[in-house]
Amino acid sequence: MEWETVIGLEVHAQLLTKSKLFSGSSTQFGAQPNTQACAVDIALPGVLPVMNLEAARMAVKFGLAVGATVNRRSVFARKNYFYPDLPKGYQISQYELPVVQLGRLMIDVDGMKKEIGITRAHLEEDAGKSLHEAFEGLTGIDLNRAGTPLLEIVSEPDMRSAKEAVTYLKKLHVLVRYLGICDGNMQEGSFRCDANVSVRPKGQHAFGTRAELKNINSFRFVEKAIDYEVARQVELIESGGKVVQETRLYDSQSNETRSMRSKEEAHDYRYFPDPDLLPLELDEQFIKEAALGLPELPDAKRERFVREYGLSAYDAEVLTGSREMADYYEAAAAMVPGQAKLAANWIIGDLSGYLNRDSLGIGDAPVTSAMLAGLVCRIADSTISGKIAKDVFDAMWNGEGDADAVIGKKGLRQITDESAIERIIDEVMARNPKQLEQYRSGQDKLFGFFVGQVMKATQGKANPAQVNESLRKKLGDKPA
Amino acid sequence: MSLSRTDVERIAHLARLEVGEQELAAYAETLSRILGLIEQMNAVDTTGVTPISHPLEAGLRLRADEVTESDRRQDFQAIAPSTQEGLYLVPKVIE
C-alpha cells in the first residue's frame, strides 16, 4: 500500500524582549541559576502579572508578516499542570482567543510552490529548567527561564514530507529573525519545534492517528525524527498494529523516537481565563505602528535581488538568508557598479567559507563589505586576477589591510603590459627548446605547459587571457 | 449531568487534592449540583451575546519592556526547604 505522510508543526519562538512576559526580570541567557527569577516568576503568594508591551508588539508583527488576522482582543488563560519547573501550577497561555489567527507561509520545495497554513500564534510564558543529572535522587530547578515570553506558532497539518516540514521550519526561522522578534538560536532553545506526525493510505481523506514528537532541536533532527517516525508508523500498521496518540521523545543519539507515557494523563489541562489578566486589547494605532515597523520581508527581498542585481534565484535565496547577510551584500554591491554578480559570488563562496571555518557571523567578519567591494573592483579593473584575489582575500581576513594595501605591499599587481609578457614568453621558449619543438611538431597539449611556465615565471601575476593570446602568437598559431 | 466517584477521583488527582474514600460520594453529589446550575444557565438563549471572560469593562494595562527586578536569590532561597549551587532541589521527577 502507498502511504501519505501528514505533518503539522508547533514552533516555540522565544521573543527578544529585555524583560519577561509578566515581570520585570531580565531574560538574558546564561546567568547564574535563579538570579533572574523574581517573586512573580517563582510564584510567591500575592504577586500579580503585568504584561510586557513589547511582547504584544512582536506578536502583532509576526501576525502581519504572515498575512494573518491580528485579533483586536485576545484572552490569557491558565493551562493547569503540576511540574516542579512550573511554580504557579499553571502556565499563562492563550487558548480560545489567541492574538494571531489564520496566516500562511509560502514554501518552495524542488521548484514547487506550496502554501502552508498557520492556524494560530499565541503568547505564553516559558517554564523553568529541570536539571536531573547533577544530584543523586534529586532534581535541581533553575527558574531563570520561567516567565520568558514565547510565541507559539501552530501550523495546519499541511505538510506531506519531512522535506516540506524542514523547508517550512527554515522559512519561519528566517522570518522571525528578519522581524527581530527572536534570535533563532536552537542550541539555547530560543527556537524549538514539536512535530505532529501521522500517516494515511494515499487517497484517504481522514487523518490517521498522530504522534507528537518532542525535543527536536536542529533542522537535521527534524528531518530524521520525522523520517524515523513515519517508518515506525507504517511498519506498525502493516504488521497489523495501531498507532496510539501519544507524545514521543526524539533521541538524536540513537536516531529513534520513544514513548513518554507519563505525559498522557496530563493532557487534561483544564484551561480557563486567567482572572489576574484582563483581555489584551490592541487598537488600530498600535497595529498600524507595528506595520510601519516591519522590515522588507525575505520573499520580497529575494525577488528584488533577482530583479535589481540580476542574480539567480539560488544566489538571491542564499544572500537573503539573513538580514545581516543581505545588508552586507547590498552595501558591497552599491560600491561596485556593474559587478553585482561578482560581489555575490565572493560572498557566497570565499566569505561564507571563511565564516564557516572560523564559526563567525557575518557581522563579525574581519573583511567588511567595503573591503570586499575594494577587492571586487580590483578584479573588475584587471589589477589582479581572480586567483590572486583569493590570496588578497586571505590577507585581508588576517588583518593585513584593504585590497589596495595588500596588493601594493605584496606586489601582486597583475602584469598587463604586453611587451613585458612577451619578454617573459621569449625567455620561457628559450629555456624549453625541447618542448617547443614537440609542440610545433603537433603536440597541442603542450600549450598548457607553456601557459604554466609563464604564470610560474610571473608568480601568477600575468593576466591569463593576455598570456594565452600572446603565446598563440609567439608559438605560431592563429589567435584563438 | 452527574459526576461519578471515579470522576471525582480523577479531578482530585489532577488538582493534587487528597479526597478520602468516605468523602467521594459527598463530593460527587455537591459537584454535580454545580453542574446542574450550569445546565440551567445553559438553557438561556444567548444568541448574539458576546461571551465575556472577565466582568470588568476594561483591557489589559501594559508595561514598558524594562528590567526592573534585581537579583534576590539569597532572600528567596533562605525560605526554600533545600537548595544547592543556586538551584532549588526537589525529589527527582524524571521518568
Side-chain angles (χ1 to χ4, degrees), chain A residues 12-15 122-126 148-152 192:
Chain A
H12 286 88
Q14 188 179 311
L15 297 177
H122 66 253
L123 284 161
E124 63 182 27
E125 54 177 355
D126 207 345
T148 299
L150 300 175
L151 189 66
E152 179 173 338
R192 313 196 282 267

Side-chain angles (χ1 to χ4, degrees), chain A residues 48 64 92 96 98 118 164 169 172 190 206 237 268 280 286-287 310 314 363 379 451 458:
Chain A
L48 285 170
L64 295 170
I92 304 176
E96 284 175 321
I118 291 174
E164 284 186 11
L169 192 65
L172 204 57
S190 321
I237 298 169
D268 192 346
L280 172 63
F286 184 81
I287 292 168
Y314 173 81
I379 304 168
V451 174
T458 59

